[in-house]
C-alpha cells in the first residue's frame, strides 16, 4: 500500500505551518511498513530538513513556494495533485488542511481529511475575505468532508458540533487531539527572546490569527476600559498572524484613536521559537475566540504555568 500526505501550506508563521512542520518531524521518526510520499513546499522543507530523521520509507516531493499562496495551492490541490497521486499509484491520501481533491473517489484513491475549524457553519460572517471567498471556502470544505473516507477532528466538542451541523455519521469521524511542540516541554531547549522587550513587566498575553472570529477588537475595548476605570497597570501583548488586513487596520486605527500605543504591543508574524518565554513571563494568557475546535495556544500557555482565561463559546 502507498500513502501520500499533502503538507503544502502557507509560508507564514501560523498554526497551519506549525502543525505541518511538527507532523513532518514526528512522522520521520516512525517505523513504517509502507512507502509514503510527502508533498511539501521548498520553504518549509528547508526550515525543518535538519530535524528530519533519515527514513527510507519516506519520499519528499518538494514543490515551488508559489503553492504557499492560497489561490495557487487550491489550483494545485484540485487539478494537479490528483494526477500526481495517480502517477505514483497512491492508495490513500492524508490531507490535514481542511480540503481534499474533490475528484479523488473517481480515481479509486481513499482519503483521510483533518478538519481544524467549524467556523464556516458557526460564524460564517466572521470568516476572513469577501463574500465570494467565504461562500467558495465553505462549499469546498463541505464537499471535502462529504467526499472523504475518514474525517479527523481535534476534540470531542468539534466532533459533536460538526456531526450536528452537517448531519454526518459518527462512525466515519475520529478524534485526535493536538499536542504541543517539544520546545514548550523541554527545559534544555534554548528559547529565543525578543530584543527591546521587558519580560519583567506586568503583561497580559494572547496569540491569535488576525481574524474577526478571535474577537480581538472587543479585547482591546475591554482592556481600554480597565485602563480608564481602574488605572490598570498592565500591558497587553499580542502575537498575531495577519490573515485579514482590513480587520488589522481596524485594530490599528482603534489603538491610535484611543492613544493605546504604549499599552498595546503587537508582534506580527514572529517565529514560534519566541513564544515559550512570552507565555512563561506573562501574568495571564487570554483567548476569547467565538469559534474554536481545540485552542492549542491555551495548552501551550499551560505548559509554561501561565494562568489562562478563555471564552465559553466553544472548546
Amino acid at each position: 500500500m502507498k500513502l501520500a500526505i499533502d503538507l503544502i501550506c502557507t509560508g507564514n508563521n501560523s498554526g497551519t505551518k506549525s502543525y505541518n512542520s511538527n507532523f513532518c518531524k514526528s512522522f520521520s521518526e516512525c517505523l513504517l511498513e509502507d512507502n509514503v510520499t510527502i508533498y511539501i513546499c521548498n520553504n518549509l522543507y528547508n526550515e525543518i530538513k535538519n530535524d528530519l530523521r533519515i527514513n527510507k520509507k519516506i519520499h519528499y516531493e518538494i514543490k515551488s513556494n508559489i503553492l504557499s499562496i492560497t489561490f495557487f495551492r487550491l489550483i494545485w490541490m484540485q487539478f494537479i495533485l490528483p494526477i500526481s497521486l495517480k502517477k505514483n499509484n497512491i492508495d490513500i491520501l492524508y490531507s490535514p488542511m481542511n480540503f481534499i481533491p474533490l475528484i479523488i473517489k473517481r480515481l479509486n484513491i481513499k482519503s483521510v481529511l483533518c478538519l481544524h475549524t467549524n467556523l464556516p457553519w458557526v460564524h460564517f460572517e466572521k470568516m476572513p475575505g469577501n463574500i465570494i471567498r467565504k461562500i467558495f471556502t465553505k462549499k469546498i470544505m463541505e464537499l471535502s468532508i462529504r467526499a472523504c473516507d475518514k474525517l479527523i477532528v481535534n476534540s470531542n466538542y468539534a466532533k459533536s458540533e460538526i456531526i450536528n451541523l452537517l448531519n454526518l455519521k459518527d462512525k466515519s469521524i475520529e478524534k485526535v487531539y493536538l499536542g504541543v511542540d517539544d520546545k514548550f516541554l523541554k527545559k534544555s531547549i534554548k528559547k529565543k527572546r525578543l530584543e527591546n522587550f521587558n519580560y519583567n513587566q506586568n503583561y497580559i498575553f494572547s496569540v491569535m490569527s488576525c481574524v474577526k472570529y478571535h474577537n480581538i477588537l472587543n479585547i482591546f475595548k475591554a482592556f481600554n476600559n480597565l485602563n480608564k476605570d481602574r488605572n490598570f497597570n498592565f500591558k497587553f501583548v499580542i502575537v498575531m498572524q495577519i490573515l485579514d488586513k482590513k480587520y488589522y487596520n481596524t485594530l490599528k486605527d482603534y489603538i491610535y484613536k484611543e492613544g493605546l500605543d504604549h499599552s498595546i504591543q503587537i508582534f506580527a508574524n514572529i517565529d514560534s521559537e519566541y513564544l515559550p518565554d512570552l507565555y512563561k513571563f506573562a501574568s495571564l494568557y487570554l483567548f476569547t475566540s467565538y469559534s474554536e475546535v481545540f485552542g492549542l495556544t491555551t495548552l501551550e500557555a499551560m505548559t509554561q504555568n501561565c494562568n489562562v482565561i478563555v471564552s465559553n463559546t466553544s472548546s
Side-chain angles (χ1 to χ4, degrees):
M1 183 173 67
K2 286 188 174 182
L3 172 70
I5 304 174
D6 181 14
L7 296 184
I8 301 293
C9 68
T10 176
N12 297 321
N13 291 313
S14 64
T16 296
K17 184 179 176 183
S18 295
Y19 179 96
N20 283 356
S21 61
N22 291 336
F23 181 96
C24 209
K25 292 172 191 176
S26 297
F27 195 71
S28 70
E29 299 176 1
C30 293
L31 296 175
L32 303 172
E33 295 182 2
D34 303 306
N35 293 318
V36 180
T37 298
I38 295 180
Y39 295 93
I40 188 169
C41 281
N42 185 54
N43 51 10
L44 180 57
Y45 180 76
N46 285 334
E47 282 186 30
I48 65 175
K49 64 182 180 181
N50 293 331
D51 297 318
L52 299 177
R53 293 268 184 97
I54 296 175
N55 194 320
K56 293 182 179 180
K57 291 290 185 178
I58 299 177
H59 168 67
Y60 297 95
E61 287 263 359
I62 302 172
K63 300 299 180 181
S64 168
N65 292 335
I66 197 172
L67 298 183
S68 63
I69 300 172
T70 302
F71 173 77
F72 293 108
R73 182 163 65 251
L74 284 173
I75 295 296
W76 178 83
M77 179 190 294
Q78 297 301 327
F79 299 104
I80 302 173
L81 176 58
I83 296 172
S84 180
L85 296 175
K86 200 65 182 175
K87 180 182 177 182
N88 291 327
N89 297 313
I90 299 299
D91 299 296
I92 301 175
L93 171 69
Y94 174 50
S95 296
M97 293 296 111
N98 301 323
F99 305 99
I100 62 169
L102 298 180
I103 66 167
I104 197 165
K105 276 196 172 182
R106 295 179 178 271
L107 302 177
N108 295 317
I109 299 172
K110 292 188 178 296
S111 60
V112 178
L113 172 67
C114 188
L115 186 68
H116 294 278
T117 180
N118 295 339
L119 181 68
W121 304 276
V122 182
H123 284 287
F124 176 81
E125 76 285 356
K126 297 189 184 300
M127 292 175 63
N130 58 43
I131 188 66
I132 295 175
R133 179 181 171 182
K134 292 177 184 178
I135 293 171
F136 178 79
T137 301
K138 180 180 179 181
K139 190 63 178 178
I140 295 296
M141 284 179 68
E142 183 168 343
L143 290 173
S144 296
I145 291 169
R146 298 193 184 281
C148 72
D149 295 282
K150 180 70 70 175
L151 180 66
I152 294 176
V153 295
N154 303 144
S155 66
N156 281 326
Y157 181 92
K159 180 176 178 179
S160 60
E161 186 174 62
I162 200 67
I163 286 173
N164 292 330
L165 289 167
L166 297 183
N167 193 26
L168 302 176
K169 294 180 180 179
D170 188 304
K171 66 179 181 181
S172 64
I173 304 177
E174 297 286 345
K175 171 201 68 183
V176 179
Y177 291 127
L178 299 179
V180 295
D181 191 341
D182 279 354
K183 64 174 168 274
F184 295 100
L185 301 175
K186 295 180 180 179
K187 294 181 180 179
S188 59
I189 293 180
K190 187 176 181 180
K191 304 177 182 71
K192 290 185 179 179
R193 284 206 177 183
L194 294 165
E195 296 181 5
N196 302 318
F197 180 78
N198 180 12
Y199 285 85
N200 294 319
Q201 67 186 323
N202 294 324
Y203 67 95
I204 298 170
F205 186 48
S206 288
V207 181
M208 300 178 183
S209 296
C210 184
V211 284
K212 291 180 180 178
Y213 68 86
H214 280 322
N215 203 13
I216 302 171
L217 183 57
N218 279 335
I219 297 176
F220 287 180
K221 289 179 179 179
F223 179 78
N224 193 21
N225 286 338
L226 281 171
N227 271 334
K228 290 178 179 179
D229 296 343
R230 304 193 181 187
N231 195 23
F232 199 54
N233 190 27
F234 279 79
K235 200 166 190 175
F236 188 82
V237 179
I238 183 167
V239 170
M240 63 171 64
Q241 167 66 27
I242 303 171
L243 300 182
D244 187 332
K245 291 184 179 179
K246 186 176 179 180
Y247 187 53
Y248 178 70
N249 289 333
T250 298
L251 297 175
K252 295 288 286 185
D253 289 344
Y254 179 79
I255 291 172
Y256 176 76
K257 179 183 175 182
E258 296 295 325
L260 296 170
D261 305 67
H262 299 293
S263 300
I264 297 177
Q265 188 166 9
I266 297 175
F267 292 106
N269 307 329
I270 67 170
D271 194 297
S272 63
E273 298 294 328
Y274 291 107
L275 293 180
D277 274 352
L278 285 170
Y279 287 125
K280 183 177 180 179
F281 290 94
S283 301
L284 175 71
Y285 182 74
L286 186 64
F287 193 75
T288 58
S289 181
Y290 285 109
S291 174
E292 196 68 38
V293 294
F294 188 85
L296 179 60
T297 57
T298 302
L299 186 61
E300 291 175 349
M302 289 177 179
T303 67
Q304 304 306 305
N305 295 317
C306 183
N307 299 306
V308 301
I309 290 181
V310 296
S311 58
N312 64 355
T313 57
S314 57
S315 67

